[in-house]
Amino acid sequence: MKKLVLLGMAFCTSFAFAQSRKLPVDTTVTTQHSVTINGSNIDYTATTGTQPVWDELGEPIASLHYTYYTKNGVKDRSSRPLLISFNGGPGSGSVWMHLAYTGPRILKIDDEGYPVQPYGVKENPYSVLDVTDIVYVNPVNTGYSRTIPETGKEVDRKKFFGINADTKYLAEWLNTFVSRNNRWNSPKYIVGESYGGTRVMGLSLALQNQQWMYLNGVIMVSPADYKVFRDNDPVSSALNLPYFAAAAWHHKALPSDLQSKDLLEVLPEVEEFTINELLPAIAKGGFIPESERKAIADKMALYSGLDAKDIIDHNLDVPTQFFWKALLRDKSGYTIGRLDSRYLGIDKTLAGTRPDYSPELTSWLHSFTPAINYYLQEELDFKTDIKYNMFGPVHPWDNDDDNVRDNLRQAMAQNPYLNVLVQSGYYDGACTYFAAKYTMSQVDPSGRMKDRFEFKGYRSGHMMYLRKEDLKSANDDIRAFILRTQAKGKSAKY
């Protein structure tokens, strides 16, 4: 009996002193590292921690987790650029570009981006840390970032979870970060992937007009433009065809005369047909002459690898889900990936109008999830029991008043220093490369600032940097963009 009492007392004692699983609202951990980039050794400091989001009364209502890399030995940091990095979702952590693209450490994956075991990280020989310091920011409920309190009716979701709320609180947060780290004089760049493209377009003006923080560059990686996606009009439909052609070319599903050409010889032809013929044809809807409908469908079949009858049955408006399911149905039976159509999947049945799952995303989660958890806790020494949210609870997301295209236009018009780089993978079926080109053309319809836009395409998908060849070239393109767009004493005037 005595033994049972002691056991009970021990249990009660341990329960009473158990720690709540909470992250400090404002904390930092600093570690020292080195990396070899393009043959040169770079010593750097990694600072990872949390910084509050405050309300109007100065009370913390959220805490954002970030990781900040600075090159050591820099005497004058005012001339050293700062790159501020976001991913998308909305609801995605900053893990993707942090641990696979621009940062000093990247995943252990094969040269095409597929997971390998044992999981882990290695040096990134192409990181842009040689030319810019970098901070990776996790918006609320992504990564280790959380609202305060973490759940409950007290959380005012309208302050965080929407296009305009997102840009407002992040702009405020960045003001604090830049002040704390004495980076006001530095040339500044913001980069966003996927929904992050929407985010950085909005931030370009929010930082400028609400925080008086002027940028040198906006970089959009596989940008998601919801003006395209949500309208479901002839434009959004037609813009998919060049992507169809790229994915079909990769899988050798095009007719021999097209297949024998290089991809970059095929795509301009498809783009011209898309703008000049397909878009007007879809706009005619049910009033298109049957002869024209058939001619357009035959041309689409030629460029997409699909059957012309399937195209006609869809009234020339072929959903991307159908393409992923149907392209290889009669060839190998595989489905192809949404975010990267080089990836293959196996469905329960060959029949159907959409794939059962996204093979590329499941592949990526294989390697990213263990890597980021290991890296932050073991190499950067940031210890916590909080779960790292690869994807966090941010929905419903308020998409009203989406004016980010015009936000970017206004920011560029007001700031002659501001330039834009867009990077896209040709095999991305979610945020297609031609939609990204279209977005560029619509930001500045006057065309008077088009010389300040630059587009770079890569032979991979949404996360083009997972492919080793594109990891190098895409980082080189960012590096060149940053070096080219620093003012270097030139006045900001027209």
Side-chain angles (χ1 to χ4, degrees), residues 249 258 260-270 459:
W249 182 90
L258 289 174
S260 63
K261 297 180 180 179
D262 183 70
L263 175 64
L264 298 188
E265 293 180 83
V266 175
L267 293 183
E269 179 181 332
V270 184
R459 298 183 188 227

Side-chain angles (χ1 to χ4, degrees), residues 393-468:
V394 303
H395 296 284
W397 189 266
D398 185 358
N399 294 305
D400 292 343
D401 300 320
D402 178 1
N403 298 305
V404 297
R405 279 188 199 165
D406 199 57
N407 292 160
L408 179 57
R409 183 200 62 78
Q410 288 184 58
M412 293 180 71
Q414 296 171 16
N415 177 9
Y417 283 154
L418 184 54
N419 289 265
V420 177
L421 170 65
V422 176
Q423 298 181 301
S424 291
Y426 295 119
Y427 308 134
D428 182 357
C431 303
T432 67
Y433 87 91
F434 199 51
K437 284 187 172 183
Y438 176 79
T439 295
M440 290 169 61
S441 71
Q442 299 305 303
V443 168
D444 174 33
S446 74
R448 296 177 66 186
M449 297 186 291
K450 65 182 178 183
D451 61 330
R452 290 156 63 189
F453 288 88
E454 183 178 2
F455 176 85
K456 295 290 184 179
Y458 309 91
R459 298 183 188 227
S460 46
H462 195 70
M463 295 196 285
M464 73 288 295
Y465 43 81
L466 294 181
R467 181 171 175 259
K468 184 177 180 180

Side-chain angles (χ1 to χ4, degrees), residues 233-234 237-238 277-286 288 300 315-317:
D233 60 12
S237 176
E277 298 183 56
L278 177 57
L279 201 161
I282 297 176
K284 293 175 184 177
I288 187 174
M300 288 180 70
N315 302 323
L316 308 182
D317 181 6

Side-chain angles (χ1 to χ4, degrees), residues 201-425:
M201 282 194 283
L203 273 172
S204 65
L205 189 66
L207 286 170
Q208 190 167 297
N209 285 8
Q210 297 169 21
Q211 308 301 326
W212 310 285
M213 186 184 299
Y214 287 72
L215 303 172
N216 285 63
V218 170
I219 303 167
M220 294 187 280
V221 180
S222 306
D225 181 354
Y226 287 77
K227 288 285 190 184
V228 173
F229 300 148
R230 291 198 189 90
D231 289 347
N232 195 29
D233 60 12
V235 173
S236 63
S237 176
L239 293 177
N240 290 326
L241 184 61
Y243 150 71
F244 289 168
W249 182 90
H250 176 78
H251 290 290
K252 297 180 172 52
L254 293 180
S256 58
D257 58 330
L258 289 174
Q259 198 66 58
S260 63
K261 297 180 180 179
D262 183 70
L263 175 64
L264 298 188
E265 293 180 83
V266 175
L267 293 183
E269 179 181 332
V270 184
E271 291 176 13
E272 184 177 353
F273 167 76
T274 296
I275 293 296
N276 296 326
E277 298 183 56
L278 177 57
L279 201 161
I282 297 176
K284 293 175 184 177
F287 289 84
I288 187 174
E290 284 305 311
S291 58
E292 183 181 354
R293 186 197 300 268
K294 185 179 184 308
I296 293 293
D298 288 343
K299 201 72 173 287
M300 288 180 70
L302 184 75
Y303 288 141
S304 68
L306 298 176
D307 185 271
K309 183 180 184 304
D310 284 336
I311 294 170
I312 288 177
D313 288 348
H314 281 97
N315 302 323
L316 308 182
D317 181 6
V318 180
T320 49
Q321 296 97 324
F322 179 82
F323 176 76
W324 304 326
K325 179 78 173 183
L327 179 66
L328 302 180
R329 182 171 5 222
D330 297 333
K331 300 175 179 67
S332 64
Y334 290 115
T335 62
I336 63 173
R338 169 179 174 261
L339 291 160
D340 191 331
S341 292
R342 297 175 303 146
Y343 289 72
L344 301 175
I346 299 176
D347 277 2
K348 183 176 181 180
T349 65
L350 289 178
T353 59
R354 60 188 303 160
D356 292 348
Y357 68 103
S358 298
E360 76 295 338
L361 187 56
T362 56
S363 175
W364 297 341
L365 289 170
H366 259 289
S367 47
F368 275 95
T369 309
I372 191 65
N373 281 279
Y374 160 81
Y375 177 64
L376 289 174
Q377 300 217 26
E378 300 302 322
E379 294 203 7
L380 298 191
D381 205 27
F382 192 85
K383 306 291 187 181
T384 178
D385 289 329
I386 296 290
K387 181 175 72 172
Y388 187 95
N389 281 342
M390 303 294 284
F391 302 101
V394 303
H395 296 284
W397 189 266
D398 185 358
N399 294 305
D400 292 343
D401 300 320
D402 178 1
N403 298 305
V404 297
R405 279 188 199 165
D406 199 57
N407 292 160
L408 179 57
R409 183 200 62 78
Q410 288 184 58
M412 293 180 71
Q414 296 171 16
N415 177 9
Y417 283 154
L418 184 54
N419 289 265
V420 177
L421 170 65
V422 176
Q423 298 181 301
S424 291

